[in-house]
Amino acid sequence: MENSQETNEKKIKAFMEKWFEHFDQLDENSYFLQYLSEDVKMKFPGNDLFTGHEGFSNWFTESKNNLLQNTTHHVSDIKVTETSKNNFDIAFDVRYVAKMKQADIDMNVKEDWKLTWDEDTDQPLISEYIVS
């Protein structure tokens, strides 16, 4: 029988796979917003820290306007740590590949998320999303 840590890790990894699938397909902002807390803190290379749904929407819309096609995220080395009941720190590596109007991108980054798993809705909510 699986313990709750293994179950949580499976749920989180399945969510992450779906999240990056939608990112790579440059899905609508609304898909992502449902999984981001209202006051989410986000940081991406080349950008200052920003907060909230409006900050994400502005960043993602601008990013999509500069892309020539879908992107690719190769996620690896995922470490999930439960810090308290249903609250998780997630650290992982990503190789990000994209064709932009100005240049092609092929870079390795580290991502750190803070995520809460809502038992009532059985959905994750990301409160911090830092890419370095």
Side-chain angles (χ1 to χ4, degrees):
M1 193 165 106
E2 285 187 301
N3 67 33
S4 65
Q5 175 66 24
E6 288 171 350
T7 303
N8 289 334
E9 204 163 306
K10 275 187 179 171
K11 283 196 305 193
I12 289 167
K13 286 180 177 179
F15 163 71
M16 291 173 67
E17 190 174 314
K18 198 168 107 176
W19 173 270
F20 284 110
E21 242 174 61
H22 285 265
F23 239 124
D24 288 339
Q25 295 164 8
L26 308 177
D27 206 341
E28 294 299 315
N29 297 4
S30 58
Y31 171 81
F32 303 99
L33 294 178
Q34 67 182 321
Y35 299 114
L36 298 174
S37 68
E38 292 285 336
D39 60 350
V40 64
K41 289 178 181 53
M42 303 187 93
K43 174 90 175 85
F44 296 94
N47 290 273
D48 291 332
L49 181 75
F50 56 87
T51 57
H53 285 187
E54 184 180 353
F56 172 81
S57 290
N58 292 341
W59 169 81
F60 196 50
T61 298
E62 185 179 325
S63 295
K64 288 191 288 190
N65 289 338
N66 288 310
L67 287 164
L68 296 175
Q69 63 189 41
N70 292 355
T71 64
T72 308
H73 289 80
H74 302 278
V75 177
S76 61
D77 202 20
I78 302 168
K79 291 179 183 64
V80 177
T81 306
E82 189 165 14
T83 56
S84 61
K85 184 169 173 45
N86 294 322
N87 291 293
F88 302 90
D89 285 350
I90 304 158
F92 55 99
D93 296 325
V94 176
R95 178 173 168 225
Y96 175 65
V97 181
K99 289 196 176 295
M100 307 286 285
K101 290 177 182 172
Q102 289 79 23
D104 291 349
I105 295 174
D106 186 343
M107 64 186 204
N108 294 307
V109 295
K110 289 209 148 310
E111 297 205 14
D112 292 287
W113 294 4
K114 290 195 183 307
L115 177 148
T116 301
W117 199 278
D118 186 322
E119 287 184 329
D120 296 333
T121 62
D122 197 30
Q123 282 193 308
L125 197 62
I126 300 168
S127 61
E128 196 170 289
Y129 194 117
I130 307 296
V131 182
S132 54

